[in-house]
Amino acid sequence: MRETIQLACVRWSLQWSLMTDESMSEQSAPLQPPTAQRIPFQRTFHGDTFTDPYAWMRDKDSPQVRDYVAAQNRYCDARMAGLAGLRATLFDELKSRIQQTDMSVPTRINDYWYFSRTLTGQQYGLQCRMPVRSADDWEPPSVDATSQPGSMPGEEIIFDANREAEGHDFFRLGGLDLSRDGRWMLYGVDTRGDERYDFRIRDLSSGVELPDALDGIGGASLTPDGQWVFYVMVDDAWRPYAVRRHHVGTPVAEDVEVYRESDERFWVGVGMSFDERHVVIGTGSKTTTEVWMLPMDNPEGEFSVFIPRQTDIEYDVSFACFEGAGEHGEDVPLAIVYHNAMNPNFEIDVIDMRSHKPPYQLGEGTRVAVGSPYGCEQGDRFESGARARRIGEAYVNPVNPAIVQGAHGLAIEGLAIYRHFVALSYRTDGLPRVAVMTKEQAAADFLAGRPWAFRELVPPALDDDWDVEPSLDDDDAVDDAAGPHPHAAVGGDGISADGDAGDAGDADVQSLRMVNTWDGAADDLLPGETRRLYSIGSGGNPSYEAPRMRYSFSSYTRPGELHDINPCTGEDRLLKRAAVLGDFDPRNYMERRVWITARDGEQIPVSLAWRRDMPVSHSAMFITGYGAYEISSDPGFSVARLSLLDRGVLYAVPHIRGGGEMGRAWYEQGRRLNKRHSFEDFVDATVALQEAGLADRRRTVANGGSAGGLLMGAVANMAPDRFAGIEADVPFVDALTSILDPSLPLTVTEWDEWGDPLHDADVYRYMKSYTPYENAPDAGNAGVGGVSGVGGAVAPVFPKIFVTTSMNDTRVLVVEPLKWVARLQAAGVDAIVKIEVEAGHGGTTGRYKQWEEVSYENAWCLSVMGVHY
């Protein structure tokens, strides 16, 4: 159903007053927000009619909407003027802690060492390179970060984003690809924020740019010989739908379409295989994927499918070999297939390609690792009764390496095979993990048909750190690790969502008591473990021949580090630690994982971080979440966060269902007709932390962006009295309206995530029950002293709302937050919105601009918490 919306003029009134105090609450005359005209527009589906008074805002290019946006920005500026001093302080703190002139560790790709530089005062980085010293040169060159770019022997600046961004308010690099000999560079830029990139080819030997212009595309890949570009076309709904082939130096009009995806749920991508022997097209929806391949020695040939797609089956493939491992010293060519055809939490099969040529079958080959099927919708296909078992129950499978036997919430994420080592990526206990082994041992295990002997990669601890010096703890205090493992047995849940002690009869759980420990934190009856909550990954290894494996890790309290490790000897070297200037010491901060019990009995991991010398008791709390698309909110360091922690703020991350922290089942229990679990988990975590005495509800601010912005709108409606304020960034708050319109960007492919309300009445009713816009308080039902919550119940308080959005956002259209804010303001809710006119879904670009933005947002959050210094 679609009707033409009659646009009308917008009426608004702004009452201006001079703001001279830091506090917004001390104004002599309160400002009034713009008043948007209400023009009833009826949306009818499945016998239900919803009247939308702000549907006219959908035409973002109309003069009326542009004027309304300008008025909202003026109102926001006026409301935030009193926080200028705090914003400046936060910005200065952030800038003073960052080493602004810096460089990355050089990475070898073919015959060059590549690295990036940043310079004080410049918004963007520079991409540089130096030639390798010899064929066996694997030791990164020593480069002086304070030297002038291009001044080191043999150093070239191959891309200066500052120069390329001149004349543009928005600039984002959308890809940079080089030929094997390093002469030709393909690069793409977005200067509008709409995620359509303009690609060019530059001759790095002369600096001359070729006339080949690939404009408004989704992405591109240059073949190693520099002769061909395979690129992705984008349709009117912003869907990457087709791949074209371009011969460098020929007219673009002569380009040939080599693949087209007709299913509107699928997105297409193209690139080179890791071994550079194939051009690979990947196409997939949220639940189904397919891989097509073309041998690099025949670039004008036809692509062939590796394994034909199967509904609701995801797979990926890469290629390697065991050099000289055959019976007669020959190489053993391998296909590494990652899929969920047999196991919903994925498995890795390694196929000996000597057996036969493609096509292959999913499940063929030797299983190297399998995930836990417990709690998954399709778990019973793999193991009888698996679906009904708890997600976090310990999982044992004889196929698996010893290091993951008995893991909780085990999800397999990938296997990478290099010349000298093999790396396995997986998740357990809600955290990412990496394991490594030598290539020689992997070949022996594979040919012998036994489990592979991986070793978990554990980053080194800091000297004298709190997590490795138990003697520093007070012997008379209850240790933070008290209580059973949260997944040890049914009944060990500890605390309910309302803060009451569990009645499972577990003596260890019931004996926990509130005490102050040596670190100044308070034990809170929430079972968990004090330990480093780090993210780790084996990235930064683009060269198959590299003799050592690079890996990176960071935590909430520890800045990112880049290491390399010798898989044969275990020797671990620190290559670079992110510098935090000033008096920063990671030992001054604490991080912890606790588990709370949601209202349906599921245990939810919650990560906490705080300053060690500030007791965690009825603290101001910044609590943030996402919970969608199987994306995990893993631990990571933030310099800007230090300004919150140093002011006594407790930082909390509930790892709610809908994300991927505990594997596929965690995702499945927070999507489609289970989506409300995401919101309930967030609310229940908030309540548990507040009722345990850790956080003060009157000083709790929640934050989320995009799908996390939908989360923010939902929890504001569900539990308005639990939050003093809510910051929603590019929020997906009008989800039902958008998902009902298949002509909008992303809609059709999103049906796999949210359900299809256009054709399914049950999905329509379910989505309408939680979507923030439909359930937000409205002028027609606001009460005195409060506003209406879900179902018409009057809530005594509704949180203050701060929204950020962008005019050129193609993922969450600007109309969604505009309508939501208009409805909230009309109901008397204290809501403001900051609208970027020249930006997209990711906000502004340029590091100083981004630092200003986060300082702007954090100033608002602190002011709502009552912190004005």
Side-chain angles (χ1 to χ4, degrees):
M1 180 199 73
R2 186 174 292 109
E3 296 181 27
T4 301
I5 302 174
Q6 181 72 34
L7 291 177
C9 294
V10 182
R11 296 180 294 107
W12 61 82
S13 62
L14 285 172
Q15 182 176 355
W16 300 91
S17 65
L18 181 64
M19 301 180 68
T20 57
D21 192 81
E22 287 287 315
S23 172
M24 291 185 292
S25 63
E26 298 181 10
Q27 305 169 51
S28 58
L31 294 165
Q32 297 300 317
T35 302
Q37 186 167 349
R38 300 167 64 94
I39 304 175
F41 169 74
Q42 291 189 338
R43 183 196 71 199
T44 300
F45 288 93
H46 305 294
D48 175 76
T49 297
F50 173 72
T51 301
D52 184 352
Y54 304 116
W56 58 269
M57 294 183 185
R58 180 170 171 174
D59 185 2
K60 71 183 183 70
D61 294 320
S62 70
Q64 293 84 1
V65 172
R66 291 283 178 174
D67 289 347
Y68 180 71
V69 166
Q72 285 286 8
N73 275 338
R74 289 195 296 271
Y75 175 65
C76 180
D77 290 343
R79 288 292 309 277
M80 294 290 287
L83 295 177
L86 179 56
R87 294 203 306 270
T89 297
L90 294 176
F91 177 78
D92 289 342
E93 289 177 4
L94 174 57
K95 188 170 65 170
S96 69
R97 287 172 168 147
I98 294 176
Q99 186 168 305
Q100 297 176 53
T101 295
D102 202 0
M103 61 166 289
S104 65
V105 176
T107 298
R108 179 173 172 176
I109 303 176
N110 297 317
D111 294 331
Y112 289 91
W113 289 98
Y114 291 87
F115 55 97
S116 62
R117 288 181 178 268
T118 56
L119 300 177
T120 299
Q122 294 195 355
Q123 293 279 7
Y124 304 97
L126 292 79
Q127 305 303 317
C128 306
R129 71 180 180 186
M130 298 172 67
V132 300
R133 290 155 290 203
S134 64
D136 58 354
D137 173 22
W138 292 102
E139 192 66 25
S142 177
V143 182
D144 183 1
T146 63
S147 64
Q148 285 297 314
S151 65
M152 300 294 292
E155 180 182 1
E156 301 175 64
I157 302 171
I158 63 171
F159 193 84
D160 182 351
N162 299 285
R163 183 173 62 84
E164 305 288 346
E166 290 178 359
H168 302 289
D169 292 329
F170 181 95
F171 181 86
R172 177 167 290 134
L173 184 62
L176 191 153
D177 210 354
L178 293 133
S179 59
R180 186 183 289 114
D181 62 8
R183 176 181 177 181
W184 302 102
M185 180 178 72
L186 172 74
Y187 70 96
V189 299
D190 173 12
T191 58
R192 300 168 295 274
D194 60 3
E195 299 183 54
R196 295 196 183 206
Y197 299 92
D198 298 334
F199 275 80
R200 300 292 184 269
I201 301 170
R202 185 172 295 169
D203 184 349
L204 294 180
S205 66
S206 64
V208 174
E209 201 137 287
L210 300 185
D212 310 54
L214 306 173
D215 291 334
I217 64 175
S221 179
L222 182 69
T223 58
D225 59 10
Q227 296 300 304
W228 302 89
V229 176
F230 289 84
Y231 61 96
V232 177
M233 298 298 296
V234 182
D235 65 17
D236 292 339
W238 260 258
R239 179 179 71 97
Y241 75 98
V243 175
R244 290 183 180 176
R245 181 182 62 234
H246 172 71
H247 193 190
V248 176
T250 66
V252 173
E254 296 177 3
D255 292 353
V256 177
E257 183 173 285
V258 297
Y259 182 85
R260 176 181 288 256
E261 179 57 69
S262 58
D263 191 326
E264 294 182 354
R265 299 172 302 160
F266 283 64
W267 281 25
V268 174
V270 66
M272 297 301 301
S273 63
F274 182 64
D275 60 6
E276 295 189 340
R277 296 180 182 178
H278 293 86
V279 182
V280 179
I281 293 174
T283 180
S285 69
K286 293 291 190 300
T287 61
T288 306
T289 61
E290 187 176 58
V291 174
W292 290 72
M293 305 174 63
L294 175 68
M296 192 57 253
D297 57 9
N298 183 26
E300 295 184 88
E302 297 291 328
F303 280 81
S304 61
V305 64
F306 183 76
I307 297 175
R309 73 181 65 173
Q310 301 175 38
T311 301
D312 293 332
I313 299 298
E314 300 167 65
Y315 80 89
D316 199 2
V317 61
S318 60
F319 301 91
C321 74
F322 287 136
E323 290 83 3
E327 295 179 4
H328 305 290
E330 74 277 13
D331 292 347
V332 178
L334 306 172
I336 302 99
V337 185
Y338 171 77
H339 69 92
N340 65 348
M342 281 73 178
N343 188 315
N345 240 332
F346 291 86
E347 67 179 56
I348 294 171
D349 298 334
V350 176
I351 301 173
D352 184 342
M353 297 179 70
R354 296 176 301 175
S355 60
H356 64 91
K357 294 182 178 181
Y360 297 99
Q361 300 296 318
L362 292 175
E364 183 177 346
T366 300
R367 284 180 178 171
V368 174
V370 297
S372 168
Y374 297 164
C376 295
E377 293 173 358
Q378 301 297 320
D380 290 349
R381 292 176 53 192
F382 185 75
E383 180 181 313
S384 178
R387 178 174 182 175
R389 302 181 77 161
R390 300 178 69 203
I391 295 174
E393 186 176 340
Y395 179 67
V396 176
N397 190 304
V399 169
N400 275 335
I403 58 164
V404 298
Q405 297 294 355
H408 307 88
L410 176 63
I412 304 301
E413 297 199 326
L415 183 75
I417 298 181
Y418 295 81
R419 166 75 74 174
H420 300 287
F421 58 87
V422 178
L424 173 68
S425 300
Y426 59 101
R427 304 188 67 87
T428 181
D429 281 321
L431 292 168
R433 292 287 181 256
V434 172
V436 66
M437 66 188 300
T438 66
K439 181 75 162 291
E440 182 180 9
Q441 182 65 54
D445 290 342
F446 174 72
L447 295 173
R450 59 180 177 246
W452 292 21
F454 284 101
R455 302 187 309 274
E456 183 178 354
L457 185 57
V458 179
L462 295 174
D463 293 338
D464 302 321
D465 203 3
W466 56 262
D467 64 343
V468 293
E469 292 291 335
S471 62
L472 295 176
D473 206 345
D474 183 353
D475 291 337
D476 296 326
V478 175
D479 188 86
D480 282 344
H485 188 284
H487 300 298
V490 176
D493 295 337
I495 192 168
S496 63
D498 61 7
D500 296 327
D503 60 358
D506 190 307
D508 290 333
V509 174
Q510 293 185 347
S511 68
L512 294 179
R513 52 195 171 87
M514 184 78 71
V515 295
N516 289 326
T517 60
W518 63 271
D519 53 50
D523 269 299
D524 49 34
L525 300 181
L526 298 176
E529 303 173 15
T530 297
R531 60 183 183 183
R532 282 297 179 197
L533 305 175
Y534 57 84
S535 295
I536 187 169
S538 59
N541 298 285
S543 298
Y544 180 79
E545 301 289 340
R548 300 172 66 93
M549 187 186 85
R550 289 189 179 184
Y551 73 92
S552 59
F553 81 95
S554 66
S555 77
Y556 294 114
T557 65
R558 191 163 163 182
E561 296 182 11
L562 178 66
H563 290 243
D564 72 8
I565 187 170
N566 185 322
C568 295
T569 66
E571 178 195 11
D572 189 297
R573 299 189 307 181
L574 173 66
L575 298 178
K576 183 178 179 64
R577 177 182 292 122
V580 180
L581 306 181
D583 61 355
F584 170 78
D585 186 337
R587 301 167 186 82
N588 292 335
Y589 302 88
M590 298 288 293
E591 55 195 358
R592 179 182 175 194
R593 171 68 55 83
V594 298
W595 299 77
I596 66 97
T597 304
R599 64 193 68 183
D600 68 343
E602 186 59 72
Q603 290 178 315
I604 312 300
V606 183
S607 295
L608 304 174
W610 66 95
R611 188 174 171 93
R612 179 170 161 180
D613 58 1
M614 294 184 176
V616 180
S617 179
H618 301 284
S619 302
M621 179 168 67
F622 182 93
I623 185 166
T624 182
Y626 188 74
Y629 301 107
E630 205 171 0
I631 294 173
S632 300
S633 299
D634 290 326
F637 188 78
S638 165
V639 174
R641 187 189 304 136
L642 296 178
S643 293
L644 301 181
L645 302 183
D646 289 348
R647 288 168 170 79
V649 175
L650 174 64
Y651 182 82
V653 184
H655 302 280
I656 59 179
R657 283 172 284 184
E661 285 86 344
M662 296 287 287
R664 177 51 59 98
W666 208 247
Y667 170 51
E668 292 173 343
Q669 290 195 15
R671 67 171 180 174
R672 298 178 183 167
L673 295 179
N674 291 318
K675 188 59 197 174
R676 290 185 70 93
H677 283 154
S678 301
F679 318 135
E680 293 164 355
D681 290 352
F682 192 91
V683 169
D684 294 346
T686 303
V687 171
L689 295 172
Q690 291 170 347
E691 295 302 310
L694 298 183
D696 185 345
R697 72 169 71 185
R698 297 166 300 179
R699 296 194 295 152
T700 294
V701 173
N703 164 260
S706 194
L710 181 150
L711 169 71
M712 292 299 100
V715 302
N717 292 335
M718 293 172 63
D721 59 327
R722 289 291 174 174
F723 306 97
I726 284 180
E727 178 192 340
D729 301 314
V730 288
F732 188 40
V733 284
D734 194 21
L736 182 54
T737 300
S738 293
I739 299 300
L740 282 167
D741 187 348
S743 70
L744 293 179
L746 311 182
T747 289
V748 175
T749 190
E750 292 290 280
W751 287 343
D752 283 332
E753 176 75 17
W754 311 97
D756 177 5
L758 182 62
H759 303 102
D760 189 324
D762 290 337
V763 172
Y764 175 89
R765 286 188 289 269
Y766 186 78
M767 288 191 70
K768 192 178 179 184
S769 74
Y770 69 71
T771 44
Y773 182 63
E774 280 87 344
N775 292 286
D778 194 24
N781 58 22
V784 177
V787 295
S788 174
V790 176
V794 175
V797 179
F798 200 85
K800 295 180 179 180
I801 303 293
F802 176 59
V803 177
T804 65
T805 185
S806 301
M807 291 295 286
N808 295 331
D809 193 338
T810 59
R811 295 176 182 264
V812 178
L813 301 184
V814 69
V815 62
E816 296 200 27
L818 282 183
K819 287 168 52 178
W820 186 49
V821 168
R823 180 164 178 159
L824 293 174
Q825 290 175 340
V829 175
D830 185 351
I832 56 177
V833 57
K834 186 175 187 294
I835 308 152
E836 291 293 338
V837 178
E838 298 290 340
H841 192 63
T844 57
T845 58
R847 56 178 180 161
Y848 291 98
K849 291 180 182 178
Q850 292 171 342
W851 298 349
E852 290 172 351
E853 284 303 303
V854 71
S855 300
Y856 192 103
E857 295 160 9
N858 284 347
W860 182 86
C861 293
L862 286 170
S863 72
V864 173
M865 296 173 186
V867 180
H868 296 281
Y869 61 91

